[in-house]
Amino acid sequence: MKSRLDDIESRLKDLIENRLVGLAWRKEHSPLAVLIVEALREQLLAETDENLPLPNVLVFAMHPEEAATWQNNPEWMTWLNQTLLETVRESGASFAAPPVIQIVADPRQPPGNPRITSAYQDTLPGSTAVLHLSNESVTSQSTSDRRAYLILHGSQFFPLDQPVINIGRRNDNHLVIEDLRVSRAHAQIRRTKNQTILFDLNSSGGTFVNGQRITQTTLFPGDVISLAGFMLIYGEDSGESSPVGGTSPAQPPV
């Protein structure tokens, strides 16, 4: 698979760099093709079966201004998705599903230097997440100047606007996920002034961040969380506007 990834990287370099050469921040931008392939490679190395298809979800954590630029030009994500799909197919590899790009604003990410992570979108068909928003959660103020949120199913936003957020299958959780792989009390998120911390609550299926199993970890925008296979993405914004996040699935080639 490594040789295939090298081939994919080589094919992507010319296509992507030529396409994005007109962007204002392009001169200082890290090679996007290299970052994408490194993210795919890192996820594959975390798996036990090297013959698995490539992870199909790519999360771009970008400086907020760059994230907004991408969001205002959805044709870029559509083009990149299609390019990824065709390039991977031509190299003899395949994605686990049509690729999806998720853009997340990260104020700590320097301009021209996105952080890219990859993941498998393996949520079971029919699994759902129920957002229980109490009156307290709607009216409460965030403990940080930056608003934090989770992205579910690629487009659904769940605000982390309380100091403690419980996640699991049980109905009294703040975020209820009706998926049998998720424990009744699976994970907890605690918000402080300066950070967001994710805890695993001794779940049976485990809690993973960017492919690594955790018991406790600090979250950063663009982190991919897996609750025994149910995927969420962590994001933040400045609190002055709606969250910047977006998904652009590839269309099957004609």
Side-chain angles (χ1 to χ4, degrees):
M1 179 57 72
K2 287 186 178 181
S3 61
R4 289 184 179 180
L5 285 176
D6 291 338
D7 182 39
I8 292 169
E9 181 179 318
S10 177
R11 291 170 183 264
L12 284 176
K13 276 183 179 178
D14 289 338
L15 292 169
I16 292 177
E17 302 310 310
N18 289 338
R19 174 77 176 194
L20 302 182
V21 71
L23 299 184
W25 41 267
R26 173 60 193 90
K27 291 183 179 179
E28 299 180 357
H29 205 295
S30 301
L32 202 56
V34 175
L35 294 177
I36 290 172
V37 172
E38 286 179 352
L40 295 174
R41 195 189 309 276
E42 183 177 351
Q43 182 62 245
L44 282 177
L45 291 175
E47 301 293 333
T48 56
D49 185 356
E50 62 181 11
N51 295 317
L52 283 174
L54 299 177
N56 61 300
V57 177
L58 288 165
V59 182
F60 289 45
M62 293 178 160
H63 185 274
E65 291 183 2
E66 293 176 1
T69 300
W70 277 75
Q71 286 304 111
N72 292 331
N73 293 273
E75 68 275 8
W76 294 355
M77 285 191 287
T78 300
W79 175 85
L80 183 55
N81 266 311
Q82 189 65 31
T83 299
L84 285 170
L85 190 64
E86 293 175 355
T87 301
V88 167
R89 183 187 61 196
E90 290 169 1
S91 71
S94 63
F95 283 106
V100 172
I101 294 174
Q102 180 75 52
I103 304 294
V104 175
D106 183 355
R108 287 164 289 202
Q109 208 66 26
N113 187 25
R115 179 169 59 93
I116 302 179
T117 53
S118 67
Y120 289 94
Q121 178 70 66
D122 56 354
T123 301
L124 291 174
S127 64
T128 60
V130 180
L131 279 59
H132 284 186
L133 298 178
S134 64
N135 291 333
E136 178 184 0
S137 70
V138 172
T139 58
S140 63
Q141 296 295 319
S142 173
T143 57
S144 169
D145 292 337
R146 291 190 298 268
R147 294 187 303 187
Y149 55 89
L150 297 174
I151 304 174
L152 302 83
H153 307 300
S155 60
Q156 190 176 17
F157 288 82
F158 178 81
L160 302 176
D161 53 6
Q162 295 188 72
V164 177
I165 301 288
N166 293 315
I167 306 172
R169 206 172 72 245
R170 202 169 55 202
N171 287 333
D172 60 353
N173 287 288
H174 299 90
L175 176 55
V176 180
I177 300 176
E178 297 175 346
D179 186 313
L180 292 178
R181 295 172 297 177
V182 176
S183 297
R184 288 177 293 177
H186 195 110
Q188 184 180 88
I189 290 178
R190 298 180 190 173
R191 292 274 290 154
T192 68
K193 183 175 179 58
N194 298 316
Q195 60 185 351
T196 302
I197 304 174
L198 172 67
F199 297 85
D200 179 78
L201 301 179
N202 295 319
S203 64
S204 57
T207 299
F208 300 79
V209 176
N210 300 328
Q212 302 297 316
R213 188 163 187 166
I214 62 96
T215 55
Q216 172 183 337
T217 192
T218 299
L219 294 174
F220 296 93
D223 279 347
V224 179
I225 303 166
S226 172
L227 305 181
F230 186 94
M231 193 183 77
L232 310 99
I233 299 170
Y234 175 74
E236 294 178 0
D237 69 17
S238 64
E240 298 176 355
S241 60
S242 298
V244 176
T247 302
S248 180
Q251 298 298 320
V254 178

